[in-house]
Coordinates of all heavy atoms in Angstrom, one line a residue:
C555 N 0.8 -1.2 0.0 CA 0.0 0.0 0.0 C 0.9 1.3 0.0 O 0.6 2.2 -0.7 CB -0.9 0.0 1.2 SG -2.1 1.4 1.3
N556 N 1.9 1.3 0.8 CA 2.8 2.4 0.9 C 3.5 2.6 -0.5 O 3.7 3.7 -0.9 CB 3.9 2.3 2.0 CG 3.3 2.5 3.3 OD1 2.2 3.1 3.5 ND2 3.9 2.0 4.4
G557 N 3.9 1.5 -1.1 CA 4.5 1.6 -2.5 C 3.6 2.2 -3.5 O 3.9 3.1 -4.3
R558 N 2.3 1.8 -3.4 CA 1.3 2.4 -4.4 C 1.0 3.8 -4.0 O 0.8 4.7 -4.9 CB 0.1 1.6 -4.3 CG 0.2 0.2 -5.0 CD -1.1 -0.5 -5.2 NE -0.8 -1.7 -5.9 CZ -1.8 -2.6 -6.0 NH1 -3.0 -2.4 -5.6 NH2 -1.5 -3.7 -6.7
R559 N 1.0 4.2 -2.8 CA 0.7 5.6 -2.4 C 1.8 6.5 -2.9 O 1.6 7.6 -3.4 CB 0.6 5.7 -0.9 CG -0.7 5.4 -0.3 CD -0.7 5.7 1.2 NE -2.0 5.3 1.8 CZ -2.1 5.1 3.0 NH1 -1.1 5.3 3.9 NH2 -3.3 4.7 3.5
E560 N 3.1 6.0 -2.7 CA 4.2 6.8 -3.2 C 4.2 6.9 -4.7 O 4.5 8.0 -5.2 CB 5.5 6.2 -2.7 CG 5.7 6.3 -1.2 CD 7.0 5.6 -0.8 OE1 7.7 5.0 -1.6 OE2 7.2 5.5 0.5
A561 N 3.8 5.9 -5.4 CA 3.8 5.9 -6.9 C 2.7 6.8 -7.4 O 2.8 7.5 -8.4 CB 3.6 4.5 -7.4
H562 N 1.5 6.8 -6.7 CA 0.4 7.6 -7.2 C 0.1 8.9 -6.5 O -0.8 9.6 -6.8 CB -0.9 6.7 -7.1 CG -0.9 5.5 -7.9 ND1 -0.9 5.6 -9.3 CD2 -0.8 4.2 -7.6 CE1 -0.8 4.3 -9.8 NE2 -0.8 3.5 -8.8
A563 N 0.9 9.2 -5.5 CA 0.7 10.4 -4.7 C 1.0 11.7 -5.6 O 2.0 11.7 -6.3 CB 1.6 10.4 -3.5
P564 N 0.2 12.7 -5.5 CA 0.5 13.9 -6.3 C 1.7 14.6 -5.7 O 2.0 14.5 -4.5 CB -0.8 14.7 -6.1 CG -1.5 14.2 -4.9 CD -1.1 12.8 -4.8
S565 N 2.4 15.4 -6.5 CA 3.6 16.0 -6.0 C 3.3 17.0 -4.9 O 4.2 17.2 -4.1 CB 4.3 16.7 -7.2 OG 3.5 17.6 -7.8
H566 N 2.2 17.6 -4.9 CA 1.9 18.6 -3.9 C 1.7 18.0 -2.5 O 1.7 18.6 -1.5 CB 0.7 19.5 -4.3 CG -0.6 18.8 -4.3 ND1 -1.0 18.1 -5.4 CD2 -1.5 18.6 -3.3 CE1 -2.2 17.5 -5.1 NE2 -2.5 17.8 -3.9
A567 N 1.5 16.6 -2.5 CA 1.3 15.9 -1.2 C 2.6 16.0 -0.4 O 2.5 15.7 0.8 CB 0.9 14.5 -1.4
Y568 N 3.7 16.2 -1.0 CA 5.0 16.2 -0.3 C 5.3 17.5 0.4 O 6.2 17.6 1.1 CB 6.1 15.9 -1.2 CG 6.1 14.4 -1.7 CD1 5.7 14.1 -3.0 CD2 6.4 13.4 -0.8 CE1 5.6 12.8 -3.4 CE2 6.3 12.1 -1.2 CZ 5.9 11.8 -2.5 OH 5.9 10.5 -2.9
I569 N 4.4 18.5 0.3 CA 4.6 19.8 1.0 C 4.5 19.5 2.5 O 5.4 19.9 3.3 CB 3.5 20.8 0.6 CG1 3.8 21.2 -0.9 CG2 3.6 22.0 1.5 CD1 2.7 22.1 -1.4
R570 N 3.5 18.8 2.9 CA 3.3 18.4 4.3 C 3.6 16.9 4.5 O 3.4 16.5 5.6 CB 1.9 18.7 4.7 CG 1.6 20.2 4.7 CD 1.8 20.6 6.1 NE 1.3 22.0 6.3 CZ 1.9 22.8 7.0 NH1 2.9 22.5 7.7 NH2 1.4 24.0 7.1
G571 N 4.1 16.3 3.5 CA 4.3 14.8 3.7 C 3.0 14.1 3.5 O 2.0 14.6 3.2
L572 N 3.0 12.8 3.6 CA 1.8 12.0 3.4 C 0.9 12.2 4.6 O -0.3 12.1 4.4 CB 2.2 10.5 3.4 CG 2.9 10.0 2.1 CD1 3.2 8.6 2.2 CD2 2.0 10.2 0.9
F573 N 1.4 12.6 5.7 CA 0.5 12.8 6.9 C 0.6 14.3 7.2 O 1.7 14.8 7.4 CB 1.0 11.9 8.0 CG 1.0 10.5 7.7 CD1 2.2 9.9 7.3 CD2 -0.2 9.8 7.6 CE1 2.2 8.5 7.0 CE2 -0.1 8.4 7.3 CZ 1.0 7.8 6.9
P574 N -0.5 15.0 7.4 CA -0.5 16.4 7.6 C 0.2 16.9 8.9 O 0.7 18.0 8.9 CB -2.0 16.8 7.6 CG -2.7 15.5 7.9 CD -1.8 14.4 7.4
H575 N 0.3 16.1 9.9 CA 0.9 16.5 11.1 C 2.4 16.1 11.3 O 3.0 16.3 12.3 CB 0.1 15.9 12.3 CG -1.3 16.5 12.3 ND1 -1.6 17.8 12.6 CD2 -2.5 15.8 12.1 CE1 -2.9 18.0 12.5 NE2 -3.5 16.8 12.2
S576 N 2.9 15.4 10.2 CA 4.3 15.0 10.3 C 5.2 16.2 10.0 O 4.9 17.0 9.2 CB 4.6 13.9 9.4 OG 4.4 14.3 8.0
P577 N 6.4 16.3 10.6 CA 7.3 17.4 10.3 C 7.9 17.2 8.9 O 8.1 16.1 8.5 CB 8.3 17.3 11.4 CG 8.3 15.9 11.9 CD 6.9 15.4 11.7
V578 N 8.0 18.4 8.3 CA 8.6 18.4 6.9 C 10.1 18.9 7.0 O 10.3 19.9 7.6 CB 7.8 19.3 6.0 CG1 8.4 19.3 4.6 CG2 6.4 18.8 5.9
P579 N 11.0 18.1 6.5 CA 12.4 18.6 6.5 C 12.5 19.9 5.7 O 11.9 20.0 4.6 CB 13.2 17.5 5.9 CG 12.2 16.7 5.1 CD 10.9 16.9 5.7
V580 N 13.3 20.8 6.2 CA 13.6 22.1 5.5 C 14.9 22.0 4.8 O 15.9 21.6 5.4 CB 13.6 23.2 6.5 CG1 13.9 24.5 5.7 CG2 12.2 23.3 7.2
F581 N 15.0 22.3 3.5 CA 16.2 22.2 2.7 C 16.8 23.5 2.5 O 16.3 24.5 2.9 CB 15.9 21.5 1.4 CG 15.4 20.1 1.5 CD1 14.1 19.7 1.7 CD2 16.4 19.1 1.6 CE1 13.7 18.4 1.8 CE2 16.0 17.7 1.8 CZ 14.7 17.4 1.9
R582 N 18.0 23.5 1.8 CA 18.8 24.8 1.7 C 18.0 25.9 1.1 O 18.0 27.0 1.6 CB 20.0 24.5 0.7 CG 21.0 23.7 1.4 CD 22.2 23.6 0.5 NE 21.9 22.7 -0.6 CZ 22.6 22.5 -1.7 NH1 23.8 23.2 -1.8 NH2 22.2 21.7 -2.6
A583 N 17.2 25.7 0.1 CA 16.5 26.8 -0.5 C 15.2 27.1 0.2 O 14.5 28.0 -0.1 CB 16.1 26.4 -2.0
G584 N 14.9 26.3 1.2 CA 13.7 26.6 2.0 C 12.5 25.8 1.4 O 11.4 26.0 1.9
F585 N 12.7 25.1 0.3 CA 11.6 24.4 -0.3 C 11.9 22.9 -0.2 O 13.0 22.5 -0.2 CB 11.4 24.7 -1.8 CG 11.0 26.1 -2.0 CD1 11.9 27.0 -2.6 CD2 9.7 26.5 -1.7 CE1 11.5 28.3 -2.8 CE2 9.3 27.8 -1.9 CZ 10.2 28.7 -2.4
H586 N 10.8 22.1 -0.2 CA 11.0 20.7 -0.2 C 11.4 20.3 -1.6 O 10.9 21.0 -2.6 CB 9.6 20.0 0.2 CG 9.7 18.6 0.4 ND1 9.7 17.7 -0.6 CD2 9.9 17.8 1.5 CE1 9.8 16.5 -0.2 NE2 9.9 16.5 1.2
P587 N 12.3 19.3 -1.8 CA 12.7 19.0 -3.2 C 11.6 18.7 -4.1 O 11.8 18.8 -5.3 CB 13.7 17.9 -3.0 CG 13.5 17.4 -1.6 CD 12.9 18.5 -0.9
N588 N 10.5 18.1 -3.7 CA 9.4 17.8 -4.6 C 8.3 18.8 -4.6 O 7.2 18.5 -5.0 CB 8.8 16.4 -4.1 CG 9.8 15.3 -4.3 OD1 10.7 15.3 -5.1 ND2 9.7 14.3 -3.4
F589 N 8.7 20.0 -4.1 CA 7.7 21.0 -4.0 C 7.1 21.3 -5.4 O 5.9 21.4 -5.5 CB 8.3 22.3 -3.4 CG 7.3 23.5 -3.4 CD1 6.2 23.4 -2.6 CD2 7.5 24.6 -4.2 CE1 5.3 24.5 -2.6 CE2 6.7 25.6 -4.2 CZ 5.6 25.6 -3.4
C590 N 7.9 21.5 -6.3 CA 7.4 21.9 -7.6 C 8.4 21.3 -8.6 O 9.6 21.7 -8.7 CB 7.3 23.4 -7.8 SG 6.7 23.8 -9.5
P591 N 7.9 20.3 -9.4 CA 8.9 19.7 -10.4 C 9.4 20.7 -11.4 O 10.5 20.6 -11.8 CB 8.0 18.7 -11.1 CG 6.7 18.5 -10.3 CD 6.6 19.7 -9.4
W592 N 8.7 21.8 -11.7 CA 9.1 22.8 -12.7 C 10.3 23.5 -12.1 O 11.3 23.7 -12.8 CB 7.9 23.7 -13.0 CG 8.3 24.8 -14.0 CD1 8.3 24.6 -15.3 CD2 8.6 26.1 -13.7 NE1 8.7 25.8 -15.9 CE2 8.9 26.7 -14.9 CE3 8.7 26.9 -12.5 CZ2 9.3 28.1 -15.0 CZ3 9.1 28.2 -12.6 CH2 9.4 28.7 -13.9
L593 N 10.2 23.9 -10.8 CA 11.3 24.6 -10.2 C 12.5 23.7 -10.1 O 13.7 24.1 -10.2 CB 10.9 25.1 -8.8 CG 10.0 26.3 -8.7 CD1 9.7 26.6 -7.3 CD2 10.7 27.5 -9.4
R594 N 12.3 22.4 -9.8 CA 13.4 21.5 -9.7 C 14.1 21.4 -11.0 O 15.3 21.4 -11.1 CB 12.9 20.2 -9.2 CG 14.0 19.3 -8.7 CD 13.5 18.0 -8.0 NE 12.1 17.7 -8.3 CZ 11.7 16.5 -8.7 NH1 12.5 15.5 -8.7 NH2 10.4 16.3 -9.0
I595 N 13.4 21.3 -12.1 CA 14.0 21.1 -13.4 C 14.7 22.4 -13.7 O 15.8 22.4 -14.2 CB 12.9 20.8 -14.5 CG1 12.4 19.4 -14.2 CG2 13.5 20.9 -15.8 CD1 11.2 19.0 -15.0
K596 N 14.0 23.6 -13.5 CA 14.6 24.9 -13.9 C 15.8 25.2 -13.0 O 16.7 25.9 -13.4 CB 13.6 26.0 -13.7 CG 12.5 25.9 -14.7 CD 12.4 27.1 -15.4 CE 11.3 27.0 -16.5 NZ 11.5 28.0 -17.5
A597 N 15.8 24.7 -11.8 CA 16.8 25.0 -10.8 C 18.0 24.1 -10.9 O 19.0 24.3 -10.3 CB 16.3 25.0 -9.4

């Protein structure tokens, strides 16, 4: 089930993680690496 969730989860679900109350790691730019695929590609 977790494998399927990860495969089918929309990219915006990673802003807060799969669970809304789980802490999200903060990266160098201040964004989660999966925050926006367009920014990741452009960046």
Side-chain angles (χ1 to χ4, degrees):
C555 184
N556 285 341
R558 286 190 179 172
R559 278 187 185 160
E560 289 174 5
H562 296 294
S565 58
H566 69 273
Y568 291 105
I569 294 174
R570 292 266 187 215
L572 289 175
F573 303 101
H575 298 292
S576 66
V578 178
V580 178
F581 293 93
R582 285 185 289 172
F585 294 110
H586 191 277
N588 294 330
F589 174 69
C590 180
W592 181 78
L593 286 177
R594 193 170 21 131
I595 293 171
K596 293 238 178 200

